[in-house]
Amino acid sequence: MIHQFILAAPKPGMTAQEFQDYWVGVHAVEYAAKIPQIRKYMVDTTVDFDGNLGEPALPHQGIAEIWLANGEEQLASLQTEEFLQGARLDEPRWAAFWQTIVVDTTAHELVPGPGEGRDRDWVKLTVLLKRRPGLDLADYRKQTLDGYAAVVRDIPGLRRHLHAHTVDGAYVFGEAAFDSVEQLWFDDVDALREALNSAYFRERVTAARDEIADPEYVFSLAVEENWIIGPEAR
């Protein structure tokens, strides 16, 4: 299954709250959710958090997470009336579409949570990563699931860990912008802040990440989940 991440930013003149309200309450429900090939769909909206990774900070205020069965269904979804005459035409009303980042991935759950649910109010850190120069893509993928994952597993307060590798198709015409997306779940913003400020994260996790990822291309957003379709696939 394809796990797609779409990072979006507000159009000029729109506040972050207006942007998020429209995305969750209008675009997601009235347009995107009607695309028949989408199996699961959530919108992650940013939370008030001053510890995101990366400089300069990302301007994006939310992430759409979309699950599709395979590449064929993904292609078909982009040819539907619901997309062409609906979701695509609606995007300029609320999003700075020229800043949108899309990463198609295959996900690996490394620290299982208790199960996805609409009643979960955890905070999630979503991290975009690019492998360090000179590291082979296959080696990078292996290390994210082995040695690096073993270090991440012991982050204080961690509830769930997902590492999603960018699909092979993104490399057909050259390098992909990002090689993977990592997601870390915590009880709340305070728990996330404590984790990132811990000696373990600053020393062990950062060092392990720097062995495989380019520090210049590590960016994160702290978000909360808003299920539109799911957590059960339709």
Side-chain angles (χ1 to χ4, degrees):
M1 181 170 284
I2 294 174
H3 187 168
Q4 182 180 69
F5 298 86
I6 304 175
L7 284 74
K11 73 175 186 179
M14 180 174 269
T15 68
Q17 191 62 58
E18 291 170 340
F19 166 83
Q20 293 173 352
D21 289 346
Y22 187 90
W23 194 354
V24 175
V26 181
H27 179 81
V29 177
E30 298 296 329
Y31 297 99
K34 294 182 179 179
I35 298 172
Q37 289 81 7
I38 292 178
R39 301 302 180 90
K40 297 166 59 178
Y41 176 34
M42 74 162 60
V43 177
D44 301 324
T45 50
T46 55
V47 298
D48 186 16
F49 180 68
D50 57 3
N52 279 308
L53 308 173
E55 293 293 342
L58 291 175
H60 305 81
Q61 295 296 323
I63 307 170
E65 295 189 50
I66 296 173
W67 288 258
L68 302 114
N70 49 50
E72 290 74 18
E73 287 209 2
Q74 183 180 35
L75 180 61
S77 74
L78 300 177
Q79 300 171 343
T80 62
E81 191 79 2
E82 290 84 358
F83 173 74
L84 294 173
Q85 300 303 319
R88 188 174 74 170
L89 295 183
D90 183 59
E91 186 176 358
R93 297 174 185 149
W94 56 283
F97 57 87
W98 57 91
Q99 293 185 316
T100 298
I101 297 173
V102 181
V103 187
D104 294 338
T105 74
T106 300
H108 306 270
E109 187 177 38
L110 302 174
V111 176
E116 295 174 320
R118 288 177 178 260
D119 59 340
R120 305 273 182 231
D121 57 359
W122 292 349
V123 168
K124 178 170 63 182
L125 189 73
T126 296
V127 189
L128 302 178
L129 302 110
K130 182 67 185 173
R131 72 188 188 278
R132 64 173 174 79
L135 181 61
D136 179 75
L137 179 60
D139 289 340
Y140 171 79
R141 289 174 172 174
K142 182 177 186 300
Q143 291 183 47
T144 60
L145 305 183
D146 293 341
Y148 174 68
V151 174
V152 171
R153 186 179 301 120
D154 292 329
I155 293 175
L158 182 68
R159 299 302 186 192
R160 186 179 182 225
H161 178 210
L162 191 81
H163 207 111
H165 295 150
T166 302
V167 297
D168 291 343
Y171 301 89
V172 171
F173 299 108
E175 275 293 322
F178 295 97
D179 294 313
S180 65
V181 179
E182 181 176 45
Q183 294 189 302
L184 309 167
W185 280 257
F186 298 88
D187 285 338
D188 50 36
V189 172
D190 289 339
L192 170 60
R193 184 175 291 109
E194 289 178 10
L196 298 193
N197 289 333
S198 68
Y200 184 83
F201 189 92
R202 287 186 284 105
E203 297 169 8
R204 294 287 306 280
V205 178
T206 300
R209 188 184 65 221
D210 289 350
E211 288 182 2
I212 61 171
D214 187 341
E216 296 290 325
Y217 296 95
V218 175
F219 301 95
S220 73
L221 288 179
V223 299
E224 58 186 5
E225 299 177 341
N226 302 274
W227 279 104
I228 309 300
I229 302 171
E232 298 80 16
R234 68 179 180 186

